Structures are given as structure tokens and as C-alpha cells.
Amino acid sequence: MTINTHVIASERHPVDQVPSWWKTIAFGLQHVLTFYAAAVAVPVLLASALKLPKDVLEHLISADLFTCGIASLIQAVGIGRIGVRLPLLQGVSFTSLAPMIAIGASGHGGVDGLRDVYGSVIASGIITFFIAPWFAKLARFLPPVVTGTVILVIGITLLPVATNDIFADSVVVGGHGYLKGLYYGLGTLLCVLTIQKLGRGFFSSIAVLIGLIIGTAVAWFAGDAHFSDVARSENFAMTTPFYFGLPHFQIIPILSITIVMMVSLMETCGNLYAVGEIVDKPITRRDIVSAVRADGLATCLGGIFNSFPYTCFAENVGLVRLTQVKSRWVVATAACIMIILGCIPKLSAIVAGIPLAVLGGASLAMFAAVAVVGVQMLSRARLDRPNNVIIVGTSLALSSLMTTQPHLIADFPSWAQVIFGSGIPVGAFSALVLHILFNCLPSRNSGQHLDTAD
């Protein structure tokens, strides 16, 4: 009996299909380049706030990339019942930044303060891992009106991040007041759109990668892309566990980072439902448990390998939506590239030379694609019901308030800054709470529960 291996391969779900090796590497590199700036932002900002030496910052960036790769392998490839086995890339949670700065500064300070941070990260990762089955029970409160709102909020909230990147290093050009960053950002976006429109097959799928290369090349010829750090970077530097010494475990910092993880898990669930929508794979409670366990394990490893809490990154969900490359093995390849970058600082320095404005232009397309996924999910919600309109509208309004007026939380207690420090957790919690109040509790008029699937 002859088995047609081509037929068997075609019957695999797109998530499990493996492109040719050269396509897989190109797709994986595209994920890494679009992810890189956000991946290293937390260690850069943390080191700046704690006034850490430059050599410590370089180690934190290498450790972050190395652990990002391990975390993404756990999520995309899976270990037993750990990891959801979908094209999801893991990155350091931005929600954790403010609490970690507070922990590092209030404890021993400086490099020693990192040991306080890592103790809380390890403990919160362990807690997250073991509460995964209980957290997954929230799935019954996550119908399309909630998940769609969360994904829409994530996309809209991230768009200002892309615009800030475009103008981060901008200077005035000529006498017309135009900004050089705008040229690079919109030029990169135009390249991406042109390749998607005119390209076919593989080339259309790597439109973002080609746009980043063209944008960087133009910036380099114009003298705005610099790679001087490549020569002075080390050829090889391996991340070792507990590089800064054994961690300190203290109750209050552990509780603080655990709260951060609960907030981040809402974002993970939103991205999980979004990627499920994109790859046409329904998300079950078991999937949520697997994804949350992967977050917990990755966060624990982050504390061990001198990195930070991990969550699923929306940037790469947008890339999957934009390119329609659904294979989880592409993400696994991106994870391997990140591990290599974490061990070879010269390669990291090359990637770091890409101008922020060029990255911002590519990010505009990806973050907008995330928002579109949210709109698609909301199309399945009953928006003809006033309750659902209230849920979506109020969540978007509160999220926009915190995004456009971040100074509002300056005088909030530290625990409240964790919850209200970004438009994403505000929008997520608002959608969840309002859904429970308006759709799950008994109606005063009818005395009946409304259908939680709406």
C-alpha cells in the first residue's frame, strides 16, 4: 500500500504545516525584526530607571532575547500540557515595568535591587503556573463581546507606540517643518503595502521584512542608521542562571508581580483568542490552561536567567494576520534566532541598528491588523443589544482615557498603577466587569440571566 505523503501534509492544519527551510527562516527573521524593539524596551527602561552600568544593560538585553526564545519555544512547540502550540511569540510584559522599578529602587537598589526583582519574578511565575486551571474558568466570561473588545483595545492602544517610534529620533528637515522620522516611517509602510499589493506568494508574505530592509538601507545611505556598536560587541556571551547572585524572596514584591501576571494573563487570553480567529482554530479551556502554564514557566525561567515576566505579544499576532503565515514552526524558528541573538551580541547589535522610525512604520500596519481582528470578533457579538454597545463603548472610552492621559495615575498607589497603568488592562478589566454586570447578573426587568455567549 502506497501512502501519498503530499496528501497527508496537505491535510495537516496550517498551524502544524512546515514551510520549506529557507521560507521558514525568512518568515522567522521577519517575526524577530518586528519584535525586537519591543522585546528590549523593558530592560532598557529598567536599567535607565535604576541607573545600572552599561555592561549590566548589555547583559540584560542578551538575557532577555535568550529567554524570549526559550519562552516562545515553550508556547509554540509545547512540552506536554505546557504551551498552546499556536503561532504566538512571547515577550516581556510592559505591565511589569513600573512595579519592577519600584521593587528594585526600594530594596537594595542598583544591581543588588535586581535580586529583589528576580525573586518576585520567579515566585510569581510559579504561582501563575499552578493557578492556570482556575484562571481558565474565566473562559465562560469571555464571549466575543469581551474578547473582541480586548483585542480591539490592544490594537488601538499599541498604535501610539508605533507613532512614538516614528518620531522618537526625528529631526526637522529643510524649512518646511517636515520630520525625517515621518519620511522613514511612512516610506517603510508604503514599501510594505506595495509589496503586499504587487508581490505574489512568498514575496507578499515577507512584505514586512522587505520593507524593514529597504527602510534601513535608505536610512543608512542617508547617515541615519548606525552600526558602530557591532565592532565593539563580543563574539559570544552565554547567559548564565543567577548571574547577579541568588534572588531575594519578599512577600510584598511577590504579591505585586503576581498582580502584574494576572493583568498580563488577560492580555494573553485576548491574543490567544485573536490568533485562534486568524488560524481558524477554536480556543478551548484546555488551550487557555496550556497557554497560562507556558506564561508561568517562562516567567519563572525569566527570573532564573536574569530576565522578566513573559506574556504573548500582540505585535506578532498582527504579523500573522497581515501575512497569513500560520505555521507555529515559523515562530519556533524565530525563537531559535532570538536564542542565537542572545548568545552573539554582534548579531544583536546589527538588529539594534534598525532605526526606530523604520520599525514604527512597519508596526503601524501590524497594530492596525490586530485592531481589525478585534472588529472581526465583535462582528459575532450581538451589537444590536444595548448592553453590548455599552460594554464595547465604555471599554474603548476608558482605555483611550488612560492611553492619552497617562499622567492621571501619577498619584495612584503602586498597586493601582499596575492595574490602571496602561489602556490595555483598563480596557480588558472594563469589558470583563461590564459583561458580568450587564449580561451575567439577573436583569431587574426580567429577573433572568442573559446568555453569556453573546
Side-chain angles (χ1 to χ4, degrees):
M1 179 177 176
T2 302
I3 300 175
N4 190 331
T5 56
H6 177 74
V7 173
I8 292 176
S10 65
E11 289 177 352
R12 289 180 184 172
H13 192 281
V15 165
D16 299 314
Q17 291 178 5
V18 183
S20 61
W21 67 268
W22 59 276
K23 286 185 178 181
T24 302
I25 292 175
F27 292 147
L29 181 61
Q30 182 172 240
H31 271 285
V32 172
L33 293 180
T34 56
F35 168 86
Y36 184 88
V40 302
V42 171
V44 169
L45 295 173
L46 180 69
S48 175
L50 297 182
K51 297 180 172 55
L52 300 176
K54 190 170 184 178
D55 61 320
V56 173
L57 170 59
E58 291 175 354
H59 183 85
L60 290 179
I61 291 175
S62 295
D64 181 21
L65 291 170
F66 180 81
T67 317
C68 274
I70 295 176
S72 299
L73 280 176
I74 292 171
Q75 192 70 274
V77 178
I79 305 172
R81 294 187 179 181
I82 305 172
V84 73
R85 294 170 172 81
L86 289 174
L88 285 166
L89 208 62
Q90 300 287 101
V92 176
S93 170
F94 281 91
T95 311
S96 65
L97 179 60
M100 288 194 300
I101 291 174
I103 292 168
S106 64
H108 296 79
V111 174
D112 283 340
L114 289 175
R115 297 164 70 185
D116 301 320
V117 171
Y118 292 139
S120 60
V121 170
I122 292 170
S124 65
I126 294 171
I127 293 170
T128 301
F129 182 90
F130 285 106
I131 68 167
W134 288 276
F135 185 87
K137 292 181 179 179
L138 283 174
R140 64 185 294 264
F141 298 112
L142 298 174
V145 70
V146 175
T147 54
T149 300
V150 171
I151 296 303
L152 181 58
V153 162
I154 290 173
I156 292 175
T157 303
L158 288 175
L159 282 171
V161 176
T163 58
N164 289 339
D165 283 346
I166 289 174
F167 297 107
D169 300 317
S170 60
V171 295
V172 175
V173 178
H176 302 289
Y178 293 110
L179 296 170
K180 188 182 289 188
L182 187 63
Y183 292 148
Y184 289 137
L186 294 186
T188 302
L189 177 61
L190 180 62
C191 285
V192 172
L193 297 178
T194 302
I195 295 165
Q196 285 185 317
K197 173 63 177 178
L198 302 179
R200 294 290 182 270
F202 171 68
F203 288 101
S204 178
S205 300
I206 59 168
V208 174
L209 175 60
I210 296 174
L212 288 170
I213 292 173
I214 293 174
T216 303
V218 171
W220 183 72
F221 279 113
D224 295 314
H226 306 287
F227 299 94
S228 56
D229 288 342
V230 176
R232 70 169 186 81
S233 298
E234 296 181 63
N235 292 321
F236 183 82
M238 187 68 185
T239 298
T240 56
F242 307 122
Y243 178 83
F244 300 103
L246 293 178
H248 300 146
F249 297 93
Q250 301 176 61
I251 296 298
I252 300 302
I254 290 173
L255 289 177
S256 178
I257 301 301
T258 300
I259 294 172
V260 166
M261 289 303 299
M262 298 305 103
V263 174
S264 296
L265 291 181
M266 285 290 295
E267 186 175 348
T268 290
C269 284
N271 288 323
L272 183 59
Y273 278 105
V275 82
E277 176 88 7
I278 294 167
V279 303
D280 193 25
K281 200 165 188 178
I283 301 302
T284 65
R285 183 178 295 184
R286 182 174 178 177
D287 291 328
I288 296 174
V289 173
S290 299
V292 171
R293 281 177 176 161
D295 275 9
L297 178 58
T299 297
C300 183
L301 290 175
I304 293 172
F305 284 98
N306 322 298
S307 192
F308 309 106
Y310 283 90
T311 186
C312 298
F313 253 40
E315 285 90 336
N316 297 83
V317 173
L319 185 60
V320 174
R321 174 67 179 83
L322 204 62
T323 63
Q324 291 298 304
V325 178
K326 302 175 181 179
S327 172
R328 62 191 174 103
W329 299 106
V330 166
V331 170
T333 302
C336 294
I337 294 173
M338 283 192 290
I339 292 173
I340 294 172
L341 288 175
C343 296
I344 305 178
K346 281 191 181 297
L347 294 179
S348 298
I350 293 173
V351 178
I354 300 174
L356 282 176
V358 173
L359 289 169
S363 297
L364 279 177
M366 292 183 296
F367 296 160
V370 174
V372 169
V373 175
V375 173
Q376 288 179 321
M377 297 176 76
L378 285 173
S379 68
R380 296 205 305 270
R382 294 288 303 275
L383 292 183
D384 58 323
R385 291 184 173 180
N387 285 0
N388 287 343
V389 173
I390 292 172
I391 293 167
V392 178
T394 305
S395 300
L396 286 174
L398 293 176
S399 173
S400 299
L401 175 66
M402 301 311 300
T403 300
T404 58
Q405 304 294 327
H407 62 276
L408 291 176
I409 65 164
D411 296 324
F412 282 24
S414 57
W415 64 267
Q417 291 185 22
V418 173
I419 299 175
F420 302 110
S422 163
I424 293 174
V426 170
F429 275 114
S430 172
L432 177 62
V433 171
L434 290 174
H435 170 65
I436 294 173
L437 291 176
F438 281 86
N439 287 343
C440 299
L441 295 181
S443 169
R444 177 176 295 182
N445 294 329
S446 63
Q448 300 295 321
H449 292 274
L450 293 179
D451 186 357
T452 59
D454 290 330

